[in-house]
Amino acid sequence: MSEPVSRREALKRLGATGAAVAAVSGTALWLHGRRPRGAAPEPYALPSWAVAKPASAPDLVVARGSPAASLVTAALEEMGGIQRFVQPGDVVLIKPNAAFDRPAWQGSTTNPDVLRAMVAACMDAGAREVLVTDNPIHVPEGCFRKTGLGKAAEDGGGSVWLPRKADFGPVALPDTVLDGWEVFLEPLKRATKVIGIAPVKDHNLSRASMTLKNWYGLLGGPRNRLHQKLDETIATLAGMVKPTLSVLDGTRILIRNGPTGGSPDDVIDGNVLAMGTDGVALDAFGATLLELGVADLTYLQMAEQWGHGASDWMALDTREVTV
Amino acid sequence: MGRVILLLLATALGAFIVAGGRTGPSSLVAQEAPQVVTPFPITSPAGWPRGAIEHYDVDGLFEKINGKADAYIVFDVIDLTFAGYANPQDPSVYVDVYIYDMAEPLNAYGIYRVQRSGQEEAVDAGAEACRAGSAFFGRKGSHYVEVVGSAGSATTEARAVLGAVLDALPAAKEPVRDPAWFPDEGRTRILYARTNALGVESLGDAFLARYADGVRAAVARFASAEEAEAARAEAVETYEFLGTPAHFEAADKLVVGALGSKDPERLKALVAAILAKIKEGL
Amino acid sequence: MRIANVRVVSQVFFLLLFFACLYMATAPRISGFPTSIFLEADPLVAVAVTMATGQLYHIGATGLALGVILLVATMILGRIFCGWICPMGTLQHFVHWLGFSRTAKARLEGNAYRKWYWLKYVILIGFLVAAAFQILQIGLLDPIALISRSFTDAIFPVIDHGLRLLGLGGIAPSQTPVYAGAWFIGIVFAAFLLMSLVIPRFFCRALCPLGALMGVFSRFAVWRIHRDPGTCTGCNLCLKGCEGASDPHATLRLSECMVCMNCVEDCPHGSISFKFLPPQESAKPWPDLSGRRAVLAGLGGAILFPSVRRAGATVPLSGTPGWIRPPGSHPEADFLARCIKCDACIHSCPTNVLQPAGLEAGFEGLWTPILDMRVGYCDITCTLCGYVCPTGAIQRLTPDQRAGEAERPDGTDGPVQIGTASYDRGRCLPWAMDTPCVVCEEVCPTSPKAIWNKKETVVGRDGQERVMQRPYVDPKLCVGCGICEHECPIRGPAAIRVGSYIGTV
């Protein structure tokens, strides 16, 4: 027989065991039935970033001439000034088309001069920050470098937000093809104003890629599967994103071999830039630059049918300026 | 010793950093837009957009212009580039542009003269140009150009495109002009043949003249007097065999000939006149 | 400063420089950094690639001539590379410093010469004889290729992912790259490092063919370690820190000595020095390798040619390899005569399309770069892989040369074609399921596009007519970039796939 343990030692040892048991049980109880990691978060309903339109302000402005940056300035002025859209303290998210790792002259991406001017205008209006982002087809880092859009964003005083996996989450769009789809949410959640700047491009399947197709760059997930319902998807995007301002960049027009281009023969100098809040109207105007009509663009008809805009841009308060 | 090594390491680090400041692989930077070497304007003067530029080499020429290709091949055509402009409001109103690269100004001269009758309305563009209906033709340097407007609706635009295209094409160092050898009286056309002038195979590099009375005269050029004499003999023999009146004379490296009249004196006189003009020119 | 400490500074410096090269060797950081300099300065690469190709490759001013410079340095100073520079050696050194027993007895035993250290010479001879037959396998064990490959494929992604998890952003430009078979490359590397806990510098002493090459050339060294027998008491303390296991306490094995200078520092009597032209008899100049073993090693290398190359284990007997090489790569046999499996190209690839081959690229092709279009795609304006290639297995091209707009050194013209895409019409949506898609056409980067659509009226199962855009490939225009295969929405194997053949006939 060995010596019995002292009361003091027994208490100490039992206390240690008890604490360990309590810790394990407590942890188990705490974890029991919790939402597992990686479970889909709640779908997020995107707000509208549109601002009220002053009675005297136009719906759509078409600026013609060059250089590209002056078109932005002139069109903004005609629209009623950047102050109509951006107030001091705003976080402005600008979505150019940076889909491809290609130089700007190939016309497959937004003209960096247009982006730079727009970023600078927002900063001048007192924006707290200007975020420039896209979820491109090619490797994002290369896209923002070679297109010159990354440098343009920084020159203008903004910053580039490269997509990361954690930035994506499901969007709430009940009864549409995109309900629950992975969307590039984080920058959208942070933004108080959203501006899209889309080039005018030829596209085989949807016939044209302009301001509405530009929002495709906010989609994540296996978005190449959406091509099976491309027109429906683009029309849905017109309802998903209600931007503060949309810019149609026709300074260069990719007239064939879109949306990638690749040869100087595929691009013409358009020397035109349009601005408005209705993407449907802007795309209807842009169609004329590609020698298309609304009848050629199924997605445009769908978007109009679903009440996301008006394709008869000539019936709107449209103003022209020349630089 | 240790200090020397540490110094070497510091130098290596410096060299590494300096090297890093140099330009790296060129694929990381956006390439410059290539200078487009095409005489086709992006839009026509009226702003009609250009369609795709099509390109045909000698072998592919038949695809575009079918049987007409042979005439170009005789003149050593290199390739054809084609582009069309259409009125955006009405695609049935268009201008099509064919640019033939003929390798040498003489070939461009030759094909232009063969294709045109000489009766067309002259147009002031390039080295030489003319109009037939809503189609325009011109040559400049070693290029031959056809600009075809849609009938009746695109004449003005076709004329403007012709001017733009010919302006953009390079001129020859020594433009080809009509030689002054052929008497003017009754002359209808001057042509140029690479080979087979007056139906004689060895008569090459020849200027030809046609006269209203059906007489045809040629001045063929050779590398040496011997070759010229041999070609003259062949020509004489050929026409003696055929029994057709013809007259050929060799003069240094030239052979001058005429045929197309039943009167041998007419032919002899024409050849003599041409020879006299050539001597005068020398 | 004590000379052994200077050596430690040098080792740390070159290890950090090696890491810096790796860090810089991705777009867009690379700019002008000579990131492949360790590979170019590797004498074994210079010797073996030159034997396999008949040319001392260079691009620009230096290239593999750097390796010759290092070989010349070895002939004057001995294996300074091993003790002072080699990052693979330094890592092993570090591991055994961390974990190897610190008792004097264990260290004396650990650093004793073992007679099977001749193994590395056998490996060297085998590899070099094989290289003379255009079979270049030095990359399997060359320490620079090995460490470059291991860090690229196995360690770099782990660090990158870890940094991203910690919210510090990654090292790779966009997302953490993944590499097929990286686990195996990692295990081999870890095994070599961990062996240093059993025997210090196990890899260097027993296996390293570069060390062996330098061991042979250090025979001419004019400076070397010299023990003065007059003052030596035979305490054997010089062996305590001997990195090369080169018997400094007895007759120095010159071919094994890594010039680490520990013996000079450790000798309590000052009997050991690094001396200019010491007496011949204080060192054994040649490696401890019997002639018979050398001959057997040579035969082993030579037999690789008939058994591997000719027997179709490398290039299939059909003549067309089933795998795709990076743009600018030499034809397969010439490629294999140059590729040292360093995977610098794989590391530089911005889209992750380059993958280290397992055995799917043949026996010789192990760990050489092949393209997996489901993982990435080949950006048609990118030429980074050729830019970083130290041996020219992938030629260095400019984007213009790749596009066929400028002349290429090998005289080929037109855009560089690495393969040709073709449709699997049984799986393609517009072809097999009357479903619109043509993502492939959308992303096709050439102008005009190699993929084009034909509108075709089809009658469905329900008897209804509909107009489908069905895609076709124009093999004359297809460059094999694989973005169509990469973007194809079909699960499993894509409905359009790039084959290594060029064109159709």
Side-chain angles (χ1 to χ4, degrees), chain A residues 100-103 106 137-142 145-146 162-164 203-205 207 213 222 224-225 227-230 257-263 266, chain C residues 27-28 164 173-174 350-351 377 379-382 429 435-439 441-449 453 469 483 486-491:
Chain A
F100 301 102
D101 185 348
R102 306 198 134 185
Q106 296 191 1
I137 293 174
H138 286 173
V139 176
E141 187 275 328
R145 173 161 33 84
K146 207 177 284 170
L162 295 179
R164 298 164 306 183
H203 193 282
N204 190 301
L205 202 54
R207 300 298 302 276
K213 175 77 167 64
N224 46 8
R225 299 212 169 105
H227 274 59
Q228 293 150 41
K229 301 172 193 163
L230 187 60
N257 214 52
T260 52
S263 158
D266 301 333
Chain C
R164 280 173 211 266
S174 283
T351 73
Y377 62 92
D379 185 325
I380 62 167
T381 61
C382 177
L429 294 173
T435 304
C437 179
V438 296
V439 175
E441 190 264 1
E442 178 182 29
V443 295
C444 180
T446 62
S447 179
K449 286 176 186 285
N453 300 313
Q469 294 208 55
I483 194 168
H486 184 246
E487 294 289 328
C488 177
I490 294 288
R491 290 192 176 89

Side-chain angles (χ1 to χ4, degrees), chain A residues 103 105 145-146 255-256 264-265 267-269 291, chain B residues 27-28 30-34 42 49-52:
Chain A
W105 57 262
R145 173 161 33 84
K146 207 177 284 170
I255 54 169
R256 73 176 79 86
D265 278 347
V267 186
I268 60 171
D269 289 335
E291 293 161 39
Chain B
S27 62
L28 292 178
Q31 307 98 288
E32 293 288 310
I42 286 172
R50 184 183 75 206

Side-chain angles (χ1 to χ4, degrees), chain A residues 227-288:
Chain A
H227 274 59
Q228 293 150 41
K229 301 172 193 163
L230 187 60
D231 287 319
E232 191 183 338
T233 305
I234 300 174
T236 307
L237 284 170
M240 182 181 100
V241 187
K242 291 291 179 195
T244 317
L245 180 65
S246 253
V247 180
L248 186 74
D249 166 17
T251 53
R252 296 189 185 95
I253 300 175
L254 187 67
I255 54 169
R256 73 176 79 86
N257 214 52
T260 52
S263 158
D265 278 347
D266 301 333
V267 186
I268 60 171
D269 289 335
N271 297 330
V272 59
L273 180 138
M275 221 175 247
T277 51
D278 180 351
V280 176
L282 279 167
D283 277 15
F285 164 75
T288 63

Side-chain angles (χ1 to χ4, degrees), chain C residues 68-150:
Chain C
V68 179
I69 293 174
L70 209 51
L71 206 56
V72 169
T74 307
M75 288 191 275
I76 297 168
L77 294 165
R79 288 170 64 180
I80 47 164
F81 177 80
C82 305
W84 291 65
I85 298 173
C86 179
M88 182 70 188
T90 303
L91 273 189
Q92 293 177 80
H93 198 147
F94 181 66
V95 169
H96 78 74
W97 176 77
L98 268 185
F100 194 76
S101 171
R102 281 162 208 258
T103 65
K105 183 169 176 283
R107 292 176 68 185
L108 288 177
E109 274 172 19
N111 289 335
Y113 179 75
R114 289 164 174 78
K115 58 179 193 281
W116 44 271
Y117 285 170
W118 51 257
L119 189 59
K120 59 180 174 293
Y121 297 102
V122 166
I123 291 171
L124 173 72
I125 293 170
F127 279 158
L128 287 186
V129 171
F133 286 96
Q134 280 95 49
I135 296 198
L136 191 71
Q137 291 297 320
I138 55 148
L140 291 174
L141 285 176
D142 177 274
I144 307 298
L146 174 80
I147 190 174
S148 167
R149 173 175 69 238
S150 303

